C-alpha cells in the first residue's frame, strides 16, 4: 500500500517519540531522556530520546530513528504499518 508523502510528513510532525516508551523506561536528563538501547547489550542507558528533535540516537552503536523507524525496529513492523499506528 502506497502512503502519500504528505501523510507521512504529517505523521512525523505529529508523533512524539517519548510517547512510544512505557513508564519507567525513560530517565530525564536535562531537556532529553535516556533509556537502554535495544540494538545492543546495554548495561547503562546509552539511548538518547530527544523530544526536541523527535528522534532516538544511541552513542554506543550509532543507530538512530524517528518515531516511524522506532516502531519498525522495535516491533518488526513494515513502514506502512508503522505509519498507520
Amino acid at each position: 500500500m502506497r502512503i502519500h508523502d504528505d501523510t507521512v510528513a504529517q505523521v512525523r510532525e505529529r508523533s512524539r517519540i517519548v510517547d512510544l516508551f512505557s513508564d519507567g523506561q525513560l530517565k530525564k536528563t536535562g531537556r532529553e531522556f535516556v533509556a537502554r538501547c535495544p540494538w545492543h547489550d546495554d548495561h547503562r542507558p546509552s539511548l538518547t530520546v530527544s523530544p526536541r528533535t523527535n528522534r532516538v540516537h544511541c552513542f554506543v552503536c550509532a543507530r538512530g530513528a524517528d518515531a516511524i523507524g522506532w516502531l519498525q525496529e522495535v516491533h518488526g513492523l513494515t513502514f506502512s504499518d508503522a505509519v498507520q499506528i
Side-chain angles (χ1 to χ4, degrees):
M1 174 173 103
R2 172 98 167 103
I3 299 174
H4 196 275
D5 292 341
D6 290 340
T7 303
V8 174
Q10 287 177 4
V11 168
R12 283 193 168 120
E13 184 178 309
R14 293 178 183 171
S15 62
R16 291 178 19 123
I17 194 76
V18 295
D19 292 341
L20 301 179
F21 289 82
S22 61
D23 290 339
Q25 281 186 301
L26 297 177
K27 179 182 176 187
K28 183 100 166 125
T29 57
R31 290 184 285 186
E32 298 182 341
F33 297 88
V34 292
R36 291 184 184 225
C37 180
W39 294 310
H40 70 275
D41 187 21
D42 201 2
H43 299 287
R44 293 186 301 153
S46 62
L47 184 74
T48 299
V49 182
S50 176
R52 184 178 49 84
T53 62
N54 209 29
R55 296 185 60 84
V56 296
H57 180 78
C58 178
F59 290 95
V60 173
C61 67
R63 290 181 71 176
D66 63 3
I68 296 170
W70 180 256
L71 286 172
Q72 284 182 267
E73 291 280 337
V74 173
H75 298 290
L77 300 173
T78 65
F79 181 79
S80 298
D81 289 342
V83 169
Q84 288 177 0
I85 288 174

